Amino acid sequence: MAGKNEPSTKDRTIFDQKCITCGTWMNTTKEMSKKGAAIITYSCPECGLSYSVGED
Ligand SMILES: [Zn+2]
Protein backbone atom coordinates (compact mmCIF):
# COMPACT_ATOMS: atom_id res chain seq x y z
CA MET A 1 0.00 0.00 0.00
CA ALA A 2 3.02 2.25 -0.06
CA GLY A 3 2.66 3.06 -3.69
CA LYS A 4 2.30 6.79 -3.30
CA ASN A 5 5.48 8.48 -4.32
CA GLU A 6 5.91 12.05 -3.21
CA PRO A 7 9.14 13.34 -4.69
CA SER A 8 7.78 16.87 -4.38
CA THR A 9 8.27 16.89 -0.62
CA LYS A 10 11.88 17.87 -0.98
CA ASP A 11 11.10 20.42 -3.64
CA ARG A 12 8.63 22.22 -1.42
CA THR A 13 11.25 22.86 1.22
CA ILE A 14 13.57 24.14 -1.46
CA PHE A 15 10.99 26.51 -2.81
CA ASP A 16 9.95 27.90 0.57
CA GLN A 17 12.73 30.43 0.71
CA LYS A 18 12.86 33.91 2.17
CA CYS A 19 15.37 36.55 1.21
CA ILE A 20 18.35 36.43 3.54
CA THR A 21 18.72 40.20 3.25
CA CYS A 22 15.21 41.59 3.75
CA GLY A 23 13.07 38.57 4.64
CA THR A 24 10.73 38.87 1.68
CA TRP A 25 9.42 35.70 0.08
CA MET A 26 11.52 35.11 -2.98
CA ASN A 27 10.37 34.22 -6.45
CA THR A 28 11.68 30.88 -7.61
CA THR A 29 12.28 29.50 -11.04
CA LYS A 30 13.13 25.88 -11.60
CA GLU A 31 15.02 24.82 -14.67
CA MET A 32 16.74 21.72 -15.89
CA SER A 33 20.40 21.81 -16.77
CA LYS A 34 21.86 19.91 -19.70
CA LYS A 35 22.81 17.15 -17.31
CA GLY A 36 19.20 16.82 -16.21
CA ALA A 37 19.83 18.31 -12.78
CA ALA A 38 17.41 20.81 -11.33
CA ILE A 39 18.60 24.37 -11.05
CA ILE A 40 16.57 26.69 -8.89
CA THR A 41 16.96 30.41 -9.25
CA TYR A 42 15.78 32.64 -6.42
CA SER A 43 15.07 36.30 -6.95
CA CYS A 44 13.90 38.86 -4.41
CA PRO A 45 11.34 41.37 -5.71
CA GLU A 46 12.23 43.83 -2.95
CA CYS A 47 16.01 44.19 -2.94
CA GLY A 48 16.89 42.43 -6.17
CA LEU A 49 19.00 39.73 -4.61
CA SER A 50 19.24 36.65 -6.79
CA TYR A 51 21.14 33.42 -6.75
CA SER A 52 20.94 29.96 -8.19
CA VAL A 53 21.12 26.60 -6.51
CA GLY A 54 21.97 23.50 -8.47
CA GLU A 55 21.21 19.97 -7.44
CA ASP A 56 23.72 17.19 -7.89
ZN1 LIG B 1 15.47 40.91 -0.46
Side-chain angles (χ1 to χ4, degrees), residues 18-26 43-50:
K18 284 185 177 179
C19 179
I20 59 176
T21 301
C22 66
T24 302
W25 287 105
M26 302 186 78
S43 61
C44 176
E46 288 296 322
C47 69
L49 175 73
S50 68

Side-chain angles (χ1 to χ4, degrees), residues 40-56:
I40 300 174
T41 301
Y42 298 97
S43 61
C44 176
E46 288 296 322
C47 69
L49 175 73
S50 68
Y51 59 93
S52 297
V53 176
E55 290 182 338
D56 289 324

Side-chain angles (χ1 to χ4, degrees), residues 4-44:
K4 188 176 182 183
N5 264 345
E6 294 186 358
S8 61
T9 302
K10 184 182 177 185
D11 289 343
R12 282 194 62 177
T13 60
I14 291 174
F15 273 77
D16 290 341
Q17 187 77 14
K18 284 185 177 179
C19 179
I20 59 176
T21 301
C22 66
T24 302
W25 287 105
M26 302 186 78
N27 296 321
T28 56
T29 304
K30 187 173 184 179
E31 300 176 275
M32 287 294 178
S33 71
K34 294 177 180 176
K35 294 180 181 177
I39 299 175
I40 300 174
T41 301
Y42 298 97
S43 61
C44 176

